[in-house]
Amino acid sequence: KAAAAREKGVRLVAGELFADRFRTRYFKSQGVNCLFESGVVSGEFCLLAEGPKGETEVFRAFKRRRLQDFGLEAMIAQAAEQSRRRLSAVLPQSGSFDVVFSGEALDHFFSWCLTQASAAAYYNKMTQAALGQVLVAPKPGATPLNVYSNALLPWGVGSYKVDPSGTLGCRRHLIEDGVLKARVSNNRYAQYLKCPATGEMGTLEVSPGKESAAEILKPRDGKPLYHL
C-alpha cells in the first residue's frame, strides 16, 4: 500500500500475499529416504491508472523462495509506469525493424520453448518437435539459444532436491545452440516413452548473450525499435 501510494495517478485496487511452508519426506522402494523443508512467498496485485480518456490496469503475479528476492516496491513502480503509459498508448506503425521482447512477453516465448522440450507435451501430441530438430535458428553473428532445466539453482522457484516421483533434481541441457537436445520427463512419461527420467521441470535457465541490455535496446540503421 505504501509503495502504491507514492505513485502519481495510480491506485492499488487489489492485492494478495501468501506464505507457504512445506515439510516433505520421500520414501522410495529403491532405498531413497529423505526429509527437507522449503518455503514459497507468492502474491498478486492490480494497479489502476486514471486519465482524461479513461482507465487502464496492470496485473502482476509473482512467486519467490526468499524475502530478499521479493522486490515488491520495484515491481509496484514498474507496473505503475506501465499502467500510466497505457493511457496514451496507440497502435504501432507497420514496417521492417527490430523488436525486443522482455518481461511477460519474453516469458511467453520461453514457455513455447519448454513445451517443445516437454515429454508430457510430446506424448500427448501437443508438440511434434523431434530430438535434433532446429527450434530457433540464429542469424549470422547472433548468440545461439541455450536453455536448461535447472532443479539445483539455489533459491530458484522451480528448484527441488527430489521430485514427487522420487527422481533426484538435476541440471539438464534442453536446447543447445537452438537445437532440441533433450526433454524434461518425470517418471511417468519416462516409462511411456521409454526414456530416462529427468524429474519435473526445474527453474528455467537461459545462457546470456553477447550484448548488454543497453546495446540491445539501442535503435540501429536509423530505424525505430519496438520494445514489448
Side-chain angles (χ1 to χ4, degrees):
K1 288 182 177 180
R6 289 193 290 268
E7 299 294 334
K8 295 182 179 180
V10 175
R11 59 189 176 94
L12 180 69
V13 293
E16 292 184 308
L17 289 171
F18 305 91
D20 296 293
R21 183 182 180 186
F22 302 94
R23 181 178 172 88
T24 309
R25 181 182 291 277
Y26 282 121
F27 295 89
K28 195 175 180 181
S29 59
Q30 287 90 340
V32 173
N33 183 349
C34 60
L35 170 70
F36 60 92
E37 295 182 349
S38 62
V40 175
V41 180
S42 57
E44 59 188 38
F45 62 84
C46 182
L47 298 179
L48 192 70
E50 299 181 59
K53 297 182 180 180
E55 299 175 332
T56 64
E57 70 175 30
V58 171
F59 172 82
R60 284 286 181 275
F62 52 89
K63 186 178 293 186
R64 301 288 187 271
R65 295 295 293 270
R66 58 180 181 175
L67 289 177
Q68 49 263 58
D69 296 331
F70 214 35
L72 185 57
E73 291 188 352
M75 279 191 288
I76 290 282
Q78 184 186 55
E81 177 62 19
Q82 291 176 345
S83 186
R84 287 189 292 262
R85 287 185 179 187
R86 288 187 179 187
L87 290 171
S88 57
V90 296
L91 290 174
Q93 297 178 7
S94 59
S96 176
F97 34 73
D98 292 333
V99 178
V100 176
F101 292 86
S102 69
E104 185 178 353
L106 190 58
D107 288 342
H108 288 302
F109 169 73
F110 286 128
S111 293
W112 176 86
C113 291
L114 295 180
T115 298
Q116 311 315 305
S118 165
Y122 182 76
Y123 179 82
N124 290 296
K125 295 181 170 46
M126 297 170 62
T127 174
Q128 297 180 344
L131 295 178
Q133 180 177 332
V134 177
L135 297 180
V136 182
K139 288 188 174 182
T143 305
L145 180 64
N146 283 274
V147 176
Y148 302 80
S149 169
N150 191 349
L152 307 178
L153 188 68
W155 303 107
V157 172
S159 296
Y160 57 84
K161 294 182 179 180
V162 182
D163 82 348
S165 299
T167 304
L168 294 176
C170 66
R171 179 177 183 263
R172 191 163 181 81
H173 202 166
L174 303 178
I175 300 175
E176 182 176 6
D177 295 341
V179 177
L180 181 61
K181 178 182 180 181
R183 294 191 176 96
V184 175
S185 179
N186 62 18
N187 191 55
R188 173 186 176 187
Y189 285 99
Q191 293 184 35
Y192 291 166
L193 297 175
K194 295 180 173 54
C195 65
T198 65
E200 299 283 353
M201 177 65 195
T203 299
L204 170 69
E205 178 187 342
V206 183
S207 296
K210 301 175 183 178
E211 298 174 300
S212 67
E215 290 173 321
I216 291 175
L217 291 171
K218 184 178 180 180
R220 306 175 189 184
D221 302 324
K223 297 181 179 180
L225 182 144
Y226 281 176
H227 182 193
L228 303 182

